[in-house]
Amino acid sequence: MGESSNGSRKGATDLHFEITHEFDVPLDALELAVLSPDIGLMMAPFLASTSVASVEVIEHEIANGELRRVLRFQANAPLAMFRGYDIAREALSWEERSIYRLADHAASWSVFPREQFRKYFSASGTFRLEAAPEGRARRTVEGDIEIKAGVLSSLAGRMALVEIRKIYDAEAETLRRLSTL
């Protein structure tokens, strides 16, 4: 995973990341997997190595050449870095809202924590699918995260990047499984 810091303000951390996965299927098979309404349910077994306890599909609508999807994630509580602190379970829940455009094989996505926690965390980015050599396909996810947690911002940012990588790896395994069904 490529990552970089875009600079920090006092008490905040801004990070950029890029994650690429290769798939042994053609682009159209990968795209069908991305469009599957079963992605949330099928991702659950691959999330065991992450801090995510559950994921559910809240919205899945294909219309006018776009897939609009909302996935709700619930993390295990407490996260390792917050042991000893009283962290509300709601603080560890978020939605990922995405719009995938079939015409350009690309999506934009944003993460929405619960309303009262949005002042501490934001994340958004894109992903694109593309054909790769030898009939394969590739997905590249790019994103930016901002964490405002005072002196914990830098540590929280590094931990967030580790978890983001694990979640996208779990999603890639899910896509691999869906694309070969």
Side-chain angles (χ1 to χ4, degrees):
M1 168 170 63
E3 60 186 71
S4 63
S5 176
N6 293 335
S8 295
R9 292 172 314 288
K10 187 172 182 155
T13 296
D14 299 314
L15 299 164
H16 177 80
F17 66 90
E18 182 175 314
I19 302 168
T20 300
H21 289 98
E22 298 275 337
F23 299 86
D24 292 326
V25 297
L27 176 61
D28 59 344
L30 179 58
E31 185 165 67
L32 285 174
V34 166
L35 297 174
S36 173
D38 298 326
I39 196 163
L41 176 65
M42 291 188 69
M43 197 183 322
F46 299 110
L47 291 170
S49 69
T50 74
S51 65
V52 175
S54 65
V55 61
E56 65 179 305
V57 177
I58 303 302
E59 179 183 345
H60 182 94
E61 181 182 325
I62 299 174
N64 303 317
E66 293 182 339
L67 164 64
R68 293 180 178 274
R69 179 172 23 226
V70 178
L71 299 176
R72 181 174 296 142
F73 293 83
Q74 176 63 57
N76 292 310
L79 296 175
M81 77 175 284
F82 296 120
R83 285 207 176 94
Y85 293 94
D86 186 23
I87 305 294
R89 184 166 169 80
E90 300 85 47
L92 303 173
S93 175
W94 66 93
E95 291 183 352
E96 179 186 279
R97 301 175 189 170
S98 62
I99 300 173
Y100 180 80
R101 294 165 305 285
L102 283 97
D104 57 0
H105 309 290
S108 55
W109 57 266
S110 295
V111 171
F112 291 86
R114 298 280 176 114
E115 183 71 36
Q116 65 268 37
F117 303 106
R118 291 184 189 163
K119 62 184 173 185
Y120 303 111
F121 179 86
S122 65
S124 61
T126 61
F127 79 80
R128 67 185 176 284
L129 306 180
E130 56 193 355
E134 300 174 16
R136 302 179 70 207
R138 176 181 306 116
R139 177 188 69 170
T140 303
V141 180
E142 289 189 61
D144 295 291
I145 59 177
E146 178 182 34
I147 298 175
K148 297 178 224 162
V151 297
L152 294 177
S153 293
S154 181
L155 174 62
R158 288 192 303 273
M159 290 184 72
L161 286 173
V162 168
E163 287 301 312
I164 287 167
R165 177 60 193 222
K166 289 178 183 178
I167 292 168
Y168 278 114
D169 286 349
E171 187 177 79
E173 289 305 313
T174 306
L175 292 171
R176 283 185 180 94
R177 187 166 187 193
L178 282 166
S179 64
T180 59
L181 292 178

